[in-house]
Amino acid sequence: MSAPRLEIDLDKVQHNARTLVDQLSLRGISVTGVTKAALGSAELARALLRGGVKRLGDSRIENIEGLRRARVPASMSLIRTPMLSQVERVVEHADTSFNTELDVLCALSSAAKRAGVTHGVVLMVELGDLREGILPGDLETTVRETLRLPNLRLRGIGTNLACRSGVVPGPENMAELSALADSIEATFGVELEIVSGGNSANLPWALSSASSGRINDLRLGEALLLGREPLLRQALEGLHTDAITLCAEVIEAKLKPSLPRGKLAQSAFGEVPAAVDRGPVWQTILSLGRQDTDPEGLYPPHGLEVLGASSDHLFMDPGACRLPVGAEVRFQLNYSALLRAMTSPFVTKVVRAAGEPGAGASPPVVPQVGAARASKGIRPVR
Ligand SMILES: *Cc1c(COP(=O)(O)O)cnc(C)c1O
């Protein structure tokens, strides 16, 4: 089987979704399953739906179009403000889009009118993270304008924290969003069906707070795919952190000194490598580089250490292990490593589909040593 490859265990993804959907439903919160880190994979989207997510969200209209072509049966939201140049595609393929700009809302309204559809709108509010969002003081005006636009339906409001600036979602900012929802409803006599509190970083707050106020939706990507919350990257209880793994193959293994020889300047990526003399090591090179993933975001198997990376190589100290040429090493990934691997054309994506032989079996022992072997129940993603 070709390497590098991402292996996606759909049963584990489904389990992660089911676990969080059940826990959050006790608090009156439903889940929008975010597929952007999976390049809008239809099989992964179906696993999320089997796990009980209420709707799907993606930041790219291309991914939503792909999900439609694959006939994934779900309500779909574009969770990034649409480009003016894409409004036709947005009203055709997304049920709802997240918005912050009146110009875009006007264009969506015209496009929806031409297409003879009603397009759902969630207005995003800026609550401190300085990402997208209408300033709270401007929300009322934007709502008033939105309600005047034909062929648009205001479905709710939302916010996004812990992204650009790492602002922690907590009782204060969530109460602020709830209060805004109440005030919009009172002022305009409308019902806001969606109050979307944020992303995976909201989980520590949502799972521990006594009341979630008006918040009735979270948009979850990382937690469903990687089983971790993004604030401290702690594993979430009861979730799999290895639903998605990255396998790479050894192309060189030689005993080499741990310190470079010669006069030193910047490396290819502008770093001045700070090498430590640990004597000779079995320097092991994998055919996995910055064109394939984010090397800083890889969790190697216990006892193995990543020493550095080039565009095409990952340099490892295998510790007490001996990894011959052709051996495979399996990594868990953080969000950045996953995103880059998913979008790299050099990385094959394979899914272990639910119900297939071998599905749900415990993962092979890491590191996998020996020639690359096809695992049972693994098949290429379309
Ligand atoms: C990516 C994204 C999410 C999902 O974030 P995770 O941290 O992966 O849960 C939610 N909302 C918006 C607007 C996003 O862009």
Side-chain angles (χ1 to χ4, degrees):
M1 182 160 284
S2 75
R5 64 177 184 277
L6 273 173
E7 293 187 3
I8 307 169
D9 185 324
L10 294 179
D11 285 352
K12 289 185 177 174
V13 172
Q14 179 180 336
H15 167 91
N16 286 355
R18 176 55 65 193
T19 306
L20 289 174
V21 163
D22 288 350
Q23 288 174 0
L24 291 169
S25 80
L26 297 173
R27 296 168 159 82
I29 297 177
S30 61
V31 174
T32 297
V34 175
T35 49
K36 70 176 184 223
L39 208 57
S41 156
E43 283 162 303
L44 193 125
R46 287 199 174 90
L48 296 180
L49 290 166
R50 285 195 297 276
V53 308
K54 186 167 180 182
R55 58 179 89 80
L56 299 173
D58 204 291
S59 52
R60 309 280 168 149
I61 193 63
E62 293 82 356
N63 288 346
I64 290 180
E65 288 168 348
L67 292 170
R68 292 286 189 220
R69 275 195 302 277
R71 301 191 183 287
V72 174
S75 162
M76 290 180 205
S77 302
L78 182 69
I79 59 175
R80 181 174 71 179
T81 307
M83 288 179 237
L84 278 177
S85 55
Q86 292 187 336
V87 289
E88 270 83 17
R89 293 165 71 179
V90 174
V91 299
E92 184 178 348
H93 299 286
D95 304 283
T96 297
S97 58
F98 286 23
N99 284 274
T100 62
E101 288 286 356
L102 258 181
D103 286 347
V104 177
L105 288 160
C106 289
L108 285 169
S109 166
S110 308
K113 200 168 174 194
R114 284 194 298 277
V117 298
T118 299
H119 183 70
V121 165
V122 170
L123 295 178
M124 292 298 272
V125 188
E126 156 61 38
L127 289 182
D129 201 53
L130 299 181
R131 221 183 82 148
E132 79 277 38
I134 300 159
L135 293 165
D138 297 334
L139 183 61
E140 207 176 293
T141 315
T142 311
V143 168
R144 182 170 292 113
E145 297 294 329
T146 304
L147 291 173
R148 281 203 192 116
L149 291 168
N151 297 70
L152 293 189
R153 183 158 67 92
L154 178 65
R155 297 190 65 195
I157 61 173
T159 194
N160 197 64
L161 299 170
C163 184
R164 182 180 159 202
S165 315
V167 170
V168 177
E172 289 84 22
N173 40 39
M174 290 299 105
E176 195 178 343
L177 189 65
S178 289
L180 285 169
D182 287 341
S183 129
I184 293 298
E185 288 187 345
T187 307
F188 296 98
V190 294
E191 192 198 333
L192 296 178
E193 163 204 349
I194 300 173
V195 183
S196 190
N199 53 47
S200 296
N202 286 58
L203 284 170
W205 162 79
L207 296 174
S208 68
S209 71
S211 158
S212 10
R214 290 290 311 272
I215 313 304
N216 64 6
D217 173 75
L218 289 181
R219 311 172 304 270
L220 303 181
E222 177 163 0
L224 304 179
L225 304 181
L226 299 176
R228 292 178 192 273
E229 53 76 28
L231 293 175
L232 303 168
R233 297 259 136 62
Q234 310 263 18
L236 289 160
E237 208 183 313
L239 266 57
H240 296 291
T241 56
D242 62 350
I244 305 183
T245 51
L246 181 60
C247 256
E249 187 176 324
V250 175
I251 54 171
E252 184 190 297
K254 293 188 192 304
L255 194 63
K256 291 189 181 178
S258 45
L259 283 185
R261 186 160 62 90
K263 187 167 175 279
L264 297 186
Q266 289 187 3
S267 70
F269 289 89
E271 302 141 1
V272 181
V276 194
D277 192 2
R278 50 176 95 183
V281 295
W282 276 97
Q283 178 180 286
T284 300
I285 303 183
L286 307 188
S287 55
L288 181 73
R290 294 180 194 273
Q291 298 197 69
D292 309 292
T293 190
D294 174 4
E296 279 75 42
L298 297 174
Y299 302 96
H302 189 70
L304 278 69
E305 192 185 335
V306 175
L307 300 171
S310 74
S311 354
D312 308 295
H313 305 99
L314 193 74
F315 306 98
M316 300 199 70
D317 178 351
C321 277
R322 287 292 161 272
L323 299 173
V325 168
E328 289 193 342
V329 180
R330 184 182 294 267
F331 298 87
Q332 290 186 32
L333 312 101
N334 75 5
Y335 196 67
S336 166
L338 172 65
L339 204 61
R340 204 175 313 164
M342 270 288 179
T343 47
S344 168
F346 302 107
V347 178
T348 309
K349 286 86 185 174
V350 291
V351 290
R352 180 173 298 159
E356 283 187 17
S362 43
V365 177
V366 284
Q368 276 189 309
V369 180
R373 244 171 300 137
S375 314
K376 250 177 124 187
I378 299 245
R379 62 188 170 77
V381 170
R382 285 182 318 248

